[in-house]
Amino acid sequence: MDFGLTEEQKMVQDMARNFAEKEIAPYVEEDEKNHYYRREILTKMGELGLLGWSIPEEYGGNGMGWMEGVIALYEIAKVHTSWRLSISGNCWGPAMTINEYGTEEQKQKWIPKLLDGTWAGSFAITEPNTGSDVASMKTFAEDKGDHWLINGTKTWISGGHTSDVGLLYAMTDKGKGAKGMSCFIIDYNNTPGVQRIPMEDKVGMYAAPTSELIFEDAVVPKENLLGGLNKGFFICMWQLNNTRMGCAVGGAALSRACLDGCIQYANERYQFGVPIGKHQMVQQQIAEMILEDEAAKQLVYRAAWLKDNKLPSQKATSTAKLAGCLASVHAANLAMKIYGSYGYSNEYPCGRWLRDCKQFETLEGTSNMHMQIIANIELGFAPDR
């Protein structure tokens, strides 16, 4: 595998970097302080084609693949990791899943507006008592003949109360576990019986909206079933193998943000008459960050390469996600040490890095679950899909 960037990929990188520096960077601290989601950024991302990775051009895709998407998202997430969720919420989640499992009518209706930023997207899996054990969910969709009637609660849903359209996973055959789950496309602006509650009291990710969704006799059209009755568990696992790339890239990018900040600070801060970067212990910490950052980024590239070449990528995706998580958490901890007392103030971004890195240990599968996925595939207990 050759990970040297092509001229086109360098152009994508430059475009994404310039966008992040111009449209996101000026508002990071203000939006963090106010817990503010700046919706117009999503629209601008759509206008530039930053939401259309690996989707056919006939539905509004940008004609480029996973590698280009990873390169672009890395530049965006490095500036503010909250905005990595937009690509997962719109492209690698709903749009890609509808493209894979939807009818032609569903593709034409839903995908273009997700990719051009007209609509914000989401997907709802987690429930108050359902996390890693996806098949234990209780949200139930009852077939009422001419529509579905949905009841249940979803929680920790990224973009749940700000999205226009999203995927909802619910049971359609009680008692059958994974074999009784289905996937639905939800038009949140036109679906009665849905209450969407912002979850403001979070440790981090302040500029990324998180929600609780309550479905009380929510009426959903029959044609909004995606991929067939009771096929939801397989669809969910397929989707997670894609959206987890957003976490993998986000972790690697946050690790790099910490590293860049520490390098700058270590050259500016003087102690004992020299920049602190001259001291061996600081150099050791910088070296550790470089090692883990480079490893995480290369693992992300490898997973993207496998996906672009239609090769099994589940193990590679979980490995990249876990590596990004470990790199970002370690880097954020080391940044607090290198910045010293200033790292504990809001004058510098160390606190934000530390708060935001912890998401990667839980979202899109806990670190424990990804270790299990990796080990089971390597041991031959599960196939690599």
Side-chain angles (χ1 to χ4, degrees), residues 115-164:
L115 300 189
D116 68 14
T118 301
W119 287 341
S122 65
F123 53 92
I125 303 170
T126 303
E127 297 183 1
N129 292 308
T130 296
S132 299
D133 184 10
V134 174
S136 70
M137 67 175 57
K138 303 301 181 187
T139 298
F140 184 67
E142 183 180 0
D143 188 346
K144 302 299 287 186
D146 61 346
H147 66 273
W148 297 96
L149 198 66
I150 299 180
N151 286 278
T153 299
K154 298 291 183 179
T155 192
W156 294 109
I157 307 306
S158 297
H161 65 279
T162 57
S163 62
D164 301 284

Side-chain angles (χ1 to χ4, degrees), residues 14-243:
D14 289 341
M15 177 187 67
R17 182 183 296 128
N18 292 336
F19 175 82
E21 291 175 353
K22 178 183 177 182
E23 302 291 348
I24 298 177
Y27 308 106
V28 171
E29 298 311 321
E30 178 184 348
D31 292 348
E32 282 287 307
K33 182 179 179 180
N34 297 319
H35 292 213
Y36 182 65
Y37 169 63
R38 201 170 289 273
R39 174 67 173 79
E40 63 269 22
I41 291 177
L42 179 73
T43 302
K44 292 176 181 179
M45 290 173 71
E47 291 171 350
L48 285 176
L50 289 169
L51 301 176
W53 313 106
S54 304
I55 303 290
E57 292 180 82
E58 62 187 292
Y59 304 122
N62 58 25
M64 289 178 273
W66 278 98
M67 189 66 78
E68 289 78 16
V70 161
I71 291 167
L73 182 55
Y74 184 85
E75 297 300 325
I76 291 168
K78 191 167 58 174
V79 171
H80 198 186
T81 193
S82 286
W83 281 101
R84 71 161 189 83
L85 289 164
S86 292
I87 290 180
S88 288
N90 275 47
C91 178
W92 292 342
M96 184 170 284
T97 308
I98 293 170
N99 180 64
E100 179 72 14
Y101 294 102
T103 64
E104 184 61 29
E105 182 180 1
Q106 288 173 333
K107 295 177 186 180
Q108 295 285 354
K109 180 177 181 179
W110 303 106
I111 296 177
K113 290 184 178 181
L114 283 166
L115 300 189
D116 68 14
T118 301
W119 287 341
S122 65
F123 53 92
I125 303 170
T126 303
E127 297 183 1
N129 292 308
T130 296
S132 299
D133 184 10
V134 174
S136 70
M137 67 175 57
K138 303 301 181 187
T139 298
F140 184 67
E142 183 180 0
D143 188 346
K144 302 299 287 186
D146 61 346
H147 66 273
W148 297 96
L149 198 66
I150 299 180
N151 286 278
T153 299
K154 298 291 183 179
T155 192
W156 294 109
I157 307 306
S158 297
H161 65 279
T162 57
S163 62
D164 301 284
V165 61
L167 300 183
L168 171 71
Y169 292 90
M171 305 308 293
T172 42
D173 199 338
K174 291 182 178 180
K176 288 194 174 181
K179 295 181 178 180
M181 184 190 303
S182 297
C183 180
F184 298 89
I185 305 170
I186 306 296
D187 179 355
Y188 283 111
N189 297 323
N190 297 288
T191 301
V194 183
Q195 184 180 3
R196 302 193 282 172
I197 305 169
M199 300 175 70
E200 303 285 1
D201 193 17
K202 300 186 297 182
V203 169
M205 296 291 287
Y206 291 156
T210 306
S211 322
E212 181 177 59
L213 308 178
I214 300 174
F215 296 83
E216 295 179 326
D217 289 338
V219 177
V220 176
K222 292 299 290 288
E223 61 267 24
N224 284 26
L225 176 68
L226 180 66
L229 185 64
N230 295 334
K231 303 297 183 183
F233 184 81
F234 183 83
I235 295 172
C236 184
M237 295 301 105
W238 185 91
Q239 178 216 290
L240 286 172
N241 191 40
N242 296 321
T243 54

